Amino acid sequence: MALLEIKGLKAGIEEGDILHGVDLEVNPGETHVLMGPNGAGKSTLGNVIMGNPAYKVTDGSIIFDGEDITKLTASDRAKKGLFMSFQNPLEVPGLSLESFLRNALREKTGKPVRIFQYKKQIEETCKLLDMDESYVERDMNVGFSGGEKKKAEIFQLLMLSPKLAILDETDSGLDVDAVRTVSKGVEIFSKNGGALIIITHSTRILEALRVDKTHVIVKGSIVASGGAEMVDEINNNGFESYVGA
Ligand SMILES: Nc1ncnc2c1ncn2[C@@H]1O[C@H](COP(=O)(O)OP(=O)(O)O)[C@@H](O)[C@H]1O
Ligand SMILES: [Mg+2]
């Protein structure tokens, strides 16, 4: 059974649809890459899957883990095992990453978090990501550099271990070291069986992953799907042959 099954999805804002009938199927543990020109609707698709209330679904459905989630709130979707890393992560003064994650884990499991285990998990994850433990106690993302914000998101990804993570240009604008850390975190997530939808313009984050499928989205529709080889093909030739289609 597919983990995520999107059928005939039309969605957008008050002024009209941005997505014009998207079909997409992601099986457990698969890695899908979503490519397309600027403004094609990639982030919108991610946001609609996550249940961002800024977007309205006008047709079609989103089935996740056997359940129709089309009408669920974003927080209920997160509890079911969906996760999205944002192009521009929010700064949250007054809330540390540590308390944020403790709440999220409690919500997800419905049980209080065992502090000793939790601290140990934090310690191990920080080590994996080459992250100073002090970040976890600071206000979430406040004063973090671009690279630190992305590391903090990958930290959340590993701590929460969702069933499906959507990464929206998590690698853009990062220096070589930060990309390496982010890639390493994503690789660990994938090896542990997590499914991924990766929105990216670069191949660096994909190098350590086994890409199952690539999709090209143009003007709110998926116009082509293929295997891993499509990523290189597009990086060499651009979107021209897809845009006209
Ligand atoms: N909240 C919004 N309000 C108004 N327009 C939006 C909103 N979100 C997306 N759009 C528009 O929808 C189109 C697709 O945007 P987006 O999904 O961000 O594209 P991509 O991520 O592929 O670059 C763009 O024309 C964008 O301006
Ligand atoms: Mg975008």
Side-chain angles (χ1 to χ4, degrees), residues 86-123:
F86 296 95
Q87 235 170 324
N88 301 299
L90 273 184
E91 299 192 1
V92 192
L95 180 68
S96 69
L97 186 52
E98 194 256 354
S99 358
F100 168 79
L101 275 174
R102 190 138 39 111
N103 281 333
L105 281 170
R106 194 182 48 215
E107 292 249 304
K108 189 182 158 195
T109 59
K111 286 184 209 137
V113 172
R114 291 164 173 269
I115 296 299
F116 180 74
Q117 258 178 311
Y118 179 59
K119 297 269 186 215
K120 213 170 121 192
Q121 199 192 350
I122 285 183
E123 202 179 302

Coordinates of all heavy atoms in Angstrom, one line a residue, residues 86-123:
F86 N 10.9 23.9 5.9 CA 10.5 25.1 5.1 C 11.6 25.8 4.4 O 12.8 25.8 4.9 CB 9.7 26.1 6.0 CG 8.5 25.5 6.5 CD1 8.5 24.8 7.8 CD2 7.4 25.4 5.8 CE1 7.3 24.2 8.2 CE2 6.2 24.9 6.2 CZ 6.2 24.3 7.4
Q87 N 11.3 26.5 3.3 CA 12.3 27.4 2.7 C 12.8 28.4 3.6 O 14.0 28.7 3.7 CB 11.6 28.0 1.4 CG 12.4 27.7 0.1 CD 11.6 28.1 -1.1 OE1 10.4 28.1 -1.2 NE2 12.4 28.6 -2.1
N88 N 11.9 29.0 4.4 CA 12.3 30.0 5.4 C 11.8 29.7 6.8 O 10.7 30.0 7.1 CB 11.8 31.4 5.0 CG 12.3 31.8 3.6 OD1 13.5 31.9 3.4 ND2 11.4 32.0 2.7
P89 N 12.6 28.9 7.6 CA 12.1 28.5 8.9 C 11.7 29.7 9.8 O 12.4 30.7 9.8 CB 13.3 27.7 9.5 CG 14.1 27.4 8.3 CD 13.9 28.5 7.3
L90 N 10.7 29.5 10.6 CA 10.2 30.6 11.5 C 11.1 30.8 12.7 O 11.6 29.8 13.2 CB 8.8 30.2 12.0 CG 7.6 30.6 11.2 CD1 6.3 30.2 12.0 CD2 7.6 32.1 10.9
E91 N 11.2 32.0 13.1 CA 11.9 32.3 14.4 C 10.8 32.3 15.5 O 9.7 32.9 15.3 CB 12.6 33.6 14.4 CG 13.7 33.6 13.3 CD 14.6 34.8 13.4 OE1 14.4 35.6 14.3 OE2 15.5 34.9 12.6
V92 N 11.0 31.6 16.6 CA 10.0 31.6 17.7 C 10.6 32.0 19.0 O 11.2 31.2 19.8 CB 9.4 30.1 17.8 CG1 8.2 30.2 18.7 CG2 9.1 29.5 16.5
P93 N 10.5 33.3 19.3 CA 11.1 33.8 20.5 C 10.4 33.2 21.7 O 9.1 33.0 21.7 CB 10.9 35.3 20.5 CG 10.5 35.6 19.1 CD 9.9 34.4 18.5
G94 N 11.1 32.8 22.8 CA 10.4 32.3 24.0 C 10.2 30.8 23.9 O 9.7 30.2 24.9
L95 N 10.5 30.1 22.8 CA 10.3 28.7 22.8 C 11.7 28.1 22.3 O 12.1 28.3 21.2 CB 9.2 28.3 21.8 CG 8.9 26.8 21.6 CD1 8.3 26.2 22.9 CD2 8.0 26.5 20.5
S96 N 12.2 27.2 23.2 CA 13.5 26.6 22.8 C 13.2 25.4 21.9 O 12.1 24.8 22.0 CB 14.3 26.1 24.0 OG 13.6 25.1 24.7
L97 N 14.1 25.0 21.1 CA 14.0 23.8 20.3 C 13.7 22.6 21.1 O 12.9 21.7 20.8 CB 15.3 23.6 19.5 CG 15.4 22.6 18.4 CD1 14.3 22.7 17.5 CD2 16.8 22.7 17.7
E98 N 14.4 22.6 22.3 CA 14.2 21.4 23.2 C 12.8 21.3 23.7 O 12.2 20.2 23.7 CB 15.2 21.6 24.4 CG 15.4 20.4 25.3 CD 14.6 20.5 26.6 OE1 14.0 21.6 26.9 OE2 14.6 19.5 27.3
S99 N 12.1 22.4 24.1 CA 10.7 22.3 24.6 C 9.8 22.1 23.4 O 8.8 21.4 23.6 CB 10.2 23.5 25.4 OG 11.2 24.5 25.6
F100 N 10.1 22.7 22.3 CA 9.2 22.5 21.1 C 9.2 21.0 20.8 O 8.1 20.4 20.6 CB 9.8 23.3 19.9 CG 9.2 22.9 18.6 CD1 7.9 23.4 18.3 CD2 9.8 22.0 17.7 CE1 7.3 23.0 17.1 CE2 9.2 21.6 16.5 CZ 8.0 22.1 16.2
L101 N 10.3 20.4 20.7 CA 10.4 19.0 20.4 C 9.8 18.1 21.4 O 9.2 17.1 21.1 CB 11.9 18.5 20.1 CG 12.4 18.8 18.8 CD1 13.9 18.5 18.7 CD2 11.7 18.0 17.7
R102 N 10.0 18.4 22.7 CA 9.4 17.6 23.8 C 7.9 17.6 23.6 O 7.2 16.6 23.7 CB 9.8 18.2 25.1 CG 9.5 17.3 26.2 CD 10.6 17.2 27.3 NE 11.3 18.4 27.6 CZ 11.1 19.1 28.7 NH1 10.3 18.6 29.7 NH2 11.8 20.2 29.0
N103 N 7.3 18.8 23.3 CA 5.8 18.9 23.1 C 5.4 18.1 21.9 O 4.4 17.3 22.0 CB 5.4 20.4 22.8 CG 5.3 21.2 24.1 OD1 5.0 20.6 25.2 ND2 5.5 22.4 24.0
A104 N 6.2 18.2 20.8 CA 5.8 17.5 19.6 C 5.9 16.0 19.8 O 5.0 15.3 19.3 CB 6.8 17.9 18.5
L105 N 6.9 15.5 20.5 CA 7.0 14.1 20.8 C 5.8 13.6 21.7 O 5.3 12.5 21.5 CB 8.3 13.8 21.4 CG 9.5 13.7 20.5 CD1 10.8 13.6 21.3 CD2 9.4 12.5 19.6
R106 N 5.5 14.4 22.7 CA 4.4 14.0 23.5 C 3.1 14.0 22.8 O 2.3 13.1 22.9 CB 4.3 15.0 24.7 CG 3.4 14.5 25.8 CD 3.3 15.5 27.0 NE 3.0 16.8 26.4 CZ 3.4 18.0 26.9 NH1 4.2 18.0 27.9 NH2 3.0 19.1 26.4
E107 N 2.9 15.0 21.9 CA 1.6 15.0 21.1 C 1.6 13.7 20.2 O 0.5 13.1 20.0 CB 1.7 16.2 20.2 CG 1.5 17.5 20.9 CD 0.2 18.1 20.6 OE1 -0.1 18.3 19.4 OE2 -0.6 18.4 21.5
K108 N 2.7 13.4 19.6 CA 2.8 12.3 18.7 C 2.5 11.0 19.4 O 1.7 10.1 18.8 CB 4.2 12.3 18.0 CG 4.3 11.3 16.9 CD 5.7 11.3 16.3 CE 5.9 10.0 15.5 NZ 7.4 9.8 15.3
T109 N 3.1 10.7 20.5 CA 3.0 9.4 21.2 C 1.8 9.4 22.1 O 1.3 8.3 22.5 CB 4.3 9.1 22.0 OG1 4.4 10.1 22.9 CG2 5.5 9.0 21.1
G110 N 1.3 10.6 22.6 CA 0.3 10.6 23.6 C 0.8 10.2 25.0 O 0.0 10.0 25.9
K111 N 2.1 10.2 25.1 CA 2.6 9.8 26.4 C 3.7 10.9 26.9 O 4.3 11.5 26.0 CB 3.4 8.5 26.4 CG 2.4 7.3 26.3 CD 3.3 6.0 26.3 CE 2.5 4.9 25.5 NZ 3.4 4.2 24.7
P112 N 3.9 11.1 28.1 CA 4.9 12.0 28.6 C 6.3 11.5 28.1 O 6.5 10.3 28.0 CB 4.9 12.0 30.1 CG 3.7 11.1 30.5 CD 3.2 10.4 29.3
V113 N 7.2 12.5 27.8 CA 8.5 12.1 27.3 C 9.4 11.7 28.5 O 9.4 12.3 29.5 CB 9.1 13.3 26.6 CG1 10.5 13.0 26.2 CG2 8.3 13.6 25.3
R114 N 10.1 10.6 28.3 CA 11.0 10.2 29.4 C 12.3 11.0 29.3 O 13.0 10.9 28.3 CB 11.4 8.7 29.2 CG 10.2 7.8 29.5 CD 10.5 6.4 29.0 NE 9.5 5.5 29.4 CZ 9.6 4.7 30.5 NH1 10.6 4.8 31.3 NH2 8.6 3.9 30.9
I115 N 12.5 11.8 30.3 CA 13.6 12.8 30.2 C 15.0 12.3 30.0 O 15.7 12.7 29.1 CB 13.6 13.7 31.5 CG1 12.2 14.5 31.6 CG2 14.7 14.7 31.4 CD1 12.0 15.4 30.4
F116 N 15.3 11.2 30.7 CA 16.6 10.7 30.6 C 16.9 10.2 29.1 O 17.9 10.5 28.5 CB 16.8 9.5 31.6 CG 18.2 8.9 31.5 CD1 19.3 9.6 32.0 CD2 18.4 7.7 30.9 CE1 20.6 9.0 31.9 CE2 19.7 7.1 30.8 CZ 20.7 7.8 31.3
Q117 N 15.9 9.4 28.6 CA 16.0 8.9 27.2 C 16.1 10.1 26.2 O 16.8 10.1 25.2 CB 14.8 8.1 26.9 CG 15.0 6.6 26.9 CD 13.7 5.9 26.7 OE1 12.7 6.2 27.3 NE2 13.7 4.9 25.8
Y118 N 15.2 11.1 26.5 CA 15.1 12.2 25.6 C 16.5 13.0 25.5 O 17.0 13.3 24.4 CB 14.0 13.1 26.1 CG 13.8 14.4 25.3 CD1 13.5 14.4 24.0 CD2 13.9 15.7 25.9 CE1 13.2 15.5 23.3 CE2 13.7 16.8 25.2 CZ 13.3 16.7 23.9 OH 13.1 17.9 23.2
K119 N 17.1 13.2 26.7 CA 18.3 13.9 26.7 C 19.4 13.1 26.0 O 20.3 13.7 25.3 CB 18.8 14.1 28.2 CG 17.9 15.0 29.0 CD 18.3 16.5 28.9 CE 17.4 17.3 29.8 NZ 17.1 18.7 29.3
K120 N 19.3 11.8 26.1 CA 20.3 11.0 25.5 C 20.1 11.1 24.0 O 21.1 11.1 23.2 CB 20.1 9.5 26.0 CG 21.5 8.8 26.0 CD 21.3 7.5 26.7 CE 21.7 6.3 25.8 NZ 21.3 5.0 26.3
Q121 N 18.9 11.1 23.5 CA 18.6 11.1 22.1 C 19.1 12.5 21.5 O 19.6 12.6 20.5 CB 17.1 11.0 21.9 CG 16.7 10.6 20.5 CD 15.2 10.7 20.2 OE1 14.4 10.9 21.1 NE2 14.9 10.7 18.9
I122 N 18.9 13.5 22.3 CA 19.3 14.9 21.9 C 20.9 14.9 21.8 O 21.4 15.3 20.8 CB 18.9 16.0 23.0 CG1 17.4 16.3 22.8 CG2 19.8 17.2 22.8 CD1 16.9 17.3 23.7
E123 N 21.5 14.3 22.8 CA 23.0 14.3 22.7 C 23.5 13.5 21.5 O 24.4 14.0 20.8 CB 23.4 13.5 24.0 CG 24.8 13.8 24.5 CD 25.1 13.0 25.8 OE1 24.4 13.2 26.7 OE2 26.0 12.2 25.8

